[in-house]
Amino acid sequence: MEEEKSALEHLELSQVNCLNEAGEHTLRSIVASRKKNTSPSTYLLSDVDQELILNLHFNQLVKIRSIVIQSSVESQAPKTIKLFINRPAIGFEEAGDAVEPDAAQIFQLTPEQVKEGKKIPLRFVRFQAVNSLHIFVASNMGDEDETRIDAIDIFGAPLSGGGLKDLSGLGKENDD
Amino acid sequence: MPLEATIIIIDNSEYMRNGDYPPTRFDAQSDAVNTVFGVKIDSNPENSVGLMTMAGKGPEVLVTNTKDLGQMLQAIHATSSKIGGSIDLPTAISTAQLALKHRQNKNLRQRILVFIASPLEGPSTDERNMVKLAKKLKKNNVAVDVIAFGDAIDDSENPVLKAFVENASSSDNSHYLAIPPGPHLLSDAVISSVVLAADRGIPEDAIGGGPAASTSGAANNFEFGVDPSLDPELAMALRMSMEEEQARQAAAAKATKETGAPSAPEPSSAEPEVAMDEDEEALLKQALALSEGQDVDMTGHQEEEGHEEDEDEEIARAIAMSMEESTKESKEKK
């Protein structure tokens, strides 16, 4: 497989938002640089309970191959994840009840995956035209009230010929 | 200037017929809704406001989020003939949340503004359930403002509604406002409160003590009888006008002082009075002398001479006194 590029650079930052995030530890703070967050002082923390919904909007259609979810505190690391695509109005009730194929993919994270930030390969066919990706965190490793995510990264490529904002990037077409 | 979609929940229960807020609770509330709508819409061109009721047959969305004042007024007017029943706050808030969730512009933050003048009743309005509801709102990024008046004001130590707002508040975005009945208008109390501070571009601490200050008498505690935060331009104009007048008075006082001489009419008006006093004193002396058995003619003659001398003296004294007065006055003015 060819070297994958981070799709974070195609994020539409003004639309990025997160439900149930704590006031001081927001999703925006860990993706604002459009790169994987490396600063230990910025992280995303849940507020009222352990659930989180991360809404990531892209400025063009992208294909997503794999994602990385990293957390430095094991007991607060996310465990059950549901991924949705192109569902900008999703809420906790809907997400909690959703099963595949309504949710694009449901999986459990292992402690190694979150600790080292290993790539989690996704079912590529279901992520072929992603305008917005919604990551629902249903539970965490230690059943704590707060879920902590230090960094996320998304690997994929813009859909060929799709991006209006990226017309100059002719070379990118070769990636597919 | 927050970018917000707001749903206003109004109370249309039987309690709204009460007349403790002039003219009636419902009309006072309509007025306040109108005010809130205006402020919200003006604060950002993308903002929208919706309206729903929480009594009657059941909570009902009257206007989905709009910028059209006409729809608002029409809905309020239609409701004014449908006052009845009792409120169902938890259901109303859940409905409002759903209405907000399906707002057209997802960039807008969500806010629910509740007007409530009925006591909290019903199975799920105890503190535990309300706090649970508040947590749910907080989790979904919905801010809540509660404007309690009439029967909704709870005199207990920690009112349920206040606890509800505190639990729904994240980074201080939700507010509880209790407006007791009084001569002030409900809408005045609302507009000068912390609830609309952000929309009017006023820092929340500048509102001064929040609910307590805003409800303590809308217009009476201010320097010129006008709340400076309500109409900053008017307040500034009043202050400038006062300062100008003060400056003018000070200049006038200075001018009189520099010319040295007291202005003409003052001593002349003071003189006869003093002289009259002196006459009286002289008469008194004469009477005393009479009673002491002195010769009347002699005293009469002496008195005349003495009177003339006295008068001269008195004029001098009066001038001195009036000068003293005018300097004192000018000092006071300064």
Side-chain angles (χ1 to χ4, degrees), chain A residues 4 17 34 39 47 83 121 129-130 160:
Chain A
E4 286 174 334
N17 68 76
R34 294 176 191 275
S39 155
D47 191 10
L83 296 180
V130 181
S160 46

Side-chain angles (χ1 to χ4, degrees), chain B residues 25-187:
Chain B
R25 280 188 192 174
F26 190 84
D27 290 336
Q29 175 183 258
S30 310
D31 198 22
V33 167
N34 202 349
T35 309
V36 170
F37 181 87
V39 173
K40 292 274 182 199
I41 294 297
D42 287 347
S43 85
N44 194 302
E46 284 191 61
N47 281 3
S48 60
V49 179
L51 184 75
M52 61 178 291
T53 56
M54 58 176 165
K57 289 194 187 83
E60 189 184 355
V61 179
L62 301 173
V63 185
T64 51
N65 283 40
T66 179
K67 295 186 222 308
D68 183 5
L69 179 63
Q71 285 190 42
M72 256 354 214
L73 295 175
Q74 191 191 7
I76 295 173
H77 183 72
T79 313
S80 64
S81 58
K82 282 194 282 183
I83 297 177
S86 56
I87 58 161
D88 183 356
L89 186 62
T91 313
I93 286 176
S94 302
T95 312
Q97 196 202 326
L98 211 59
L100 279 174
K101 193 179 153 192
H102 295 290
R103 66 200 184 281
Q104 278 186 325
N105 185 349
K106 300 280 184 225
N107 289 329
L108 300 177
R109 302 191 75 84
Q110 307 164 73
R111 178 176 295 278
I112 298 174
L113 197 150
V114 185
F115 282 94
I116 175 169
S118 323
L120 276 181
E121 284 166 346
S124 51
T125 53
D126 58 300
E127 182 154 351
R128 200 175 61 85
N129 277 308
M130 290 304 282
V131 166
K132 207 170 143 194
L133 183 63
K135 290 256 163 79
K136 191 177 140 204
L137 292 176
K138 189 182 183 186
K139 197 171 156 183
N140 285 289
N141 265 354
V142 183
V144 182
D145 289 322
V146 173
I147 297 169
F149 58 112
D151 292 291
I153 299 174
D154 189 346
D155 291 327
S156 63
E157 188 78 359
N158 199 6
V160 174
L161 283 172
K162 200 172 181 190
F164 171 70
V165 169
E166 275 164 9
N167 276 286
S169 173
S170 71
S171 54
D172 210 22
N173 64 354
S174 303
H175 308 284
Y176 171 78
L177 181 66
I179 305 174
H184 54 266
L185 292 172
L186 189 67
S187 52

Side-chain angles (χ1 to χ4, degrees), chain B residues 185-208:
Chain B
L185 292 172
L186 189 67
S187 52
D188 278 356
V190 171
I191 202 172
S192 58
S193 75
V194 73
V195 170
L196 291 178
D199 293 290
R200 294 167 60 227
I202 301 168
E204 284 178 13
D205 3 329
I207 291 296

